[in-house]
């Protein structure tokens, strides 16, 4: 096993106490600063020498036996001639002003055999924390696959979904998830890209990546994600543009995605509190 830590920072400008956080690492890499998660992951994969790659974002934590449990699943998939991408269930940590709430068993439904990853993630997406998910910090995949399908460094959001969907296009790739909670995910960490409300970037990505896959996935995504971002930002020109795209697609969205989209009218803190309460 090798531990590679990638700082999205300029080495010359990085305080020594920050660098010391990676004392246990086999290697430390600096991106130069400001290149974001996709570039950091690509550099880490490029420097790796093992058969397998496992990602871990800096605001999440692995639990004991994570890799052992996932590599058992991976070995079984390999024996069936598949190239596995293995995730797992997680616990999400919601940190409020006075209390910390932990919700486990996420997602409630694991991806089915031969289910397209885009349909699993977006089609009829249900409200609540336990909706379908495949977090980056859960991913274990073969190094050759991570080298073949690089993270899109131009994206400022949806990097994880983009990578998973493109990986799913590779012949023989199978997605599996361990049933146990093996990763702790912190929700709404300071500076988190997922906490932003960039509906323009979300809409561009959906049109480029999801619309060719199918209108059902495209429309459900627009309602659950892009519309919610536009509402959070109170950008009603964006709301109109998203709704026009849905109407043009001539496909009714699912009830779950519609409810998620409308939740953009709530403050983000209220939304996070509501998510953890919906089972």
């Amino acid at each position: 096993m090798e531990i590679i830590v990638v700082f999205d920072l300029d080495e010359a400008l990085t305080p020594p106490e920050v660098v010391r956080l990676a004392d246990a690492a086999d290697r430390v890499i600096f991106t130069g600063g400001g290149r974001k998660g996709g570039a950091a992951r690509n550099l880490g994969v490029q420097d790796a020498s093992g058969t397998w790659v496992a990602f871990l974002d800096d605001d999440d934590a692995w639990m004991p036996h994570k890799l052992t449990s996932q590599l058992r699943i991976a070995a079984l998939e390999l024996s069936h001639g598949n190239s596995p991408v293995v995730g797992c269930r997680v616990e999400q940590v919601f940190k409020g002003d006075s209390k910390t709430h932990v919700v486990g068993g996420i997602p409630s439904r694991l991806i089915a055999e031969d289910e397209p990853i885009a349909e699993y993630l977006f089609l009829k997406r249900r409200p609540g924390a336990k909706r379908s998910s495949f977090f980056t910090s859960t991913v274990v995949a073969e190094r050759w696959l991570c080298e073949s399908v690089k993270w899109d460094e131009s994206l400022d959001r949806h990097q994880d979904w983009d990578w998973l969907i493109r990986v799913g296009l590779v012949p023989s790739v199978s997605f599996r998830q361990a049933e146990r909670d093996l990763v702790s995910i912190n929700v709404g960490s300071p500076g988190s890209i997922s906490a932003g409300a960039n509906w323009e970037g979300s809409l561009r990505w959906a049109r480029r990546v999801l619309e060719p896959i199918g209108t059902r996935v495209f429309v459900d995504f627009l309602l659950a994600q892009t519309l919610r971002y536009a509402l959070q930002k109170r950008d009603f020109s964006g709301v109109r543009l998203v709704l026009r795209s849905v109407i043009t697609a001539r496909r009714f969205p699912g009830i779950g995605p519609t409810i998620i989209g409308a939740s953009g009218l709530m403050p983000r803190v209220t939304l996070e509190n509501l998510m953890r309460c919906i089972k």
Side-chain angles (χ1 to χ4, degrees):
M1 181 181 293
E2 59 186 358
I3 300 173
I4 301 171
V5 174
V6 187
F7 286 106
D8 190 19
L9 298 168
D10 184 331
E11 183 175 7
L13 302 176
T14 304
E17 59 269 21
V18 174
V19 180
R20 281 197 294 272
L21 293 173
D23 276 347
D26 295 291
R27 284 182 298 289
V28 176
I29 300 171
F30 293 85
T31 69
R35 293 183 60 186
K36 302 181 181 178
R41 296 182 190 108
N42 285 337
L43 285 172
V45 169
Q46 179 181 310
D47 199 63
S49 61
T51 303
W52 298 94
V53 169
F55 298 106
L56 177 60
D57 290 350
D58 63 357
D59 50 354
D60 302 328
W62 288 352
M63 298 181 187
H65 312 298
K66 174 193 181 286
L67 295 178
T68 303
S69 300
Q70 290 180 296
L71 288 174
R72 288 197 194 102
I73 296 172
L76 182 60
E77 288 298 304
L78 286 173
S79 70
H80 292 158
N82 297 325
S83 301
V85 177
V86 185
C88 62
R89 283 197 168 105
V90 307
E91 66 173 26
Q92 284 192 318
V93 181
F94 297 83
K95 294 184 178 180
D97 294 333
S98 57
K99 292 183 179 179
T100 296
H101 300 274
V102 179
V103 179
I106 301 172
S108 58
R109 183 180 77 84
L110 303 181
I111 191 168
E113 187 173 351
D114 298 326
E115 182 177 9
I117 187 68
E119 292 187 10
Y120 169 70
L121 290 171
F122 306 127
L123 195 59
K124 298 180 180 179
R125 192 164 172 82
R126 57 167 284 184
K130 294 197 174 185
R131 60 196 179 206
S132 299
S133 54
F134 211 109
F135 293 95
T136 301
S137 292
T138 71
V139 168
V140 175
E142 292 176 279
R143 179 164 57 90
W144 72 264
L145 182 60
C146 297
E147 290 175 333
S148 301
V149 183
K150 297 186 182 300
W151 292 73
D152 187 339
E153 300 179 16
S154 69
L155 294 176
D156 58 1
R157 76 173 312 140
H158 303 334
Q159 292 180 349
D160 48 354
W161 290 335
D162 179 82
W163 185 80
L164 289 167
I165 289 169
R166 288 188 291 112
V167 164
L169 299 177
V170 177
S172 79
V173 163
S174 63
F175 290 95
R176 294 291 180 269
Q177 292 161 295
E179 295 184 1
R180 294 170 53 194
D181 295 359
L182 297 174
V183 178
S184 181
I185 303 286
N186 283 288
V187 177
S189 300
S192 170
I193 291 173
S194 62
N198 178 10
W199 67 265
E200 298 99 329
S202 179
L203 182 58
R204 286 193 299 270
W205 179 80
R207 285 174 170 169
R208 178 173 59 84
V209 176
L210 296 183
E211 194 168 15
I213 292 175
T215 54
R216 293 192 308 158
V217 169
F218 176 62
V219 166
D220 278 4
F221 175 87
L222 287 184
L223 263 293
Q225 302 300 136
T226 313
L227 177 64
R228 177 161 59 87
Y229 303 149
L231 287 172
Q232 285 175 342
K233 205 171 182 179
R234 300 299 187 263
D235 188 333
F236 294 103
S237 64
V239 172
R240 288 193 294 271
L241 188 56
V242 172
L243 292 178
R244 191 178 304 129
S245 298
V246 171
I247 293 169
T248 302
R250 297 183 178 181
R251 173 74 67 173
F252 284 108
I255 295 175
T258 303
I259 294 173
I260 296 171
S263 70
L265 292 167
M266 303 177 187
R268 182 171 178 85
V269 173
T270 303
L271 177 58
E272 289 178 356
N273 290 336
L274 182 62
M275 279 181 60
R276 65 178 173 79
C277 293
I278 297 175
K279 304 299 184 183

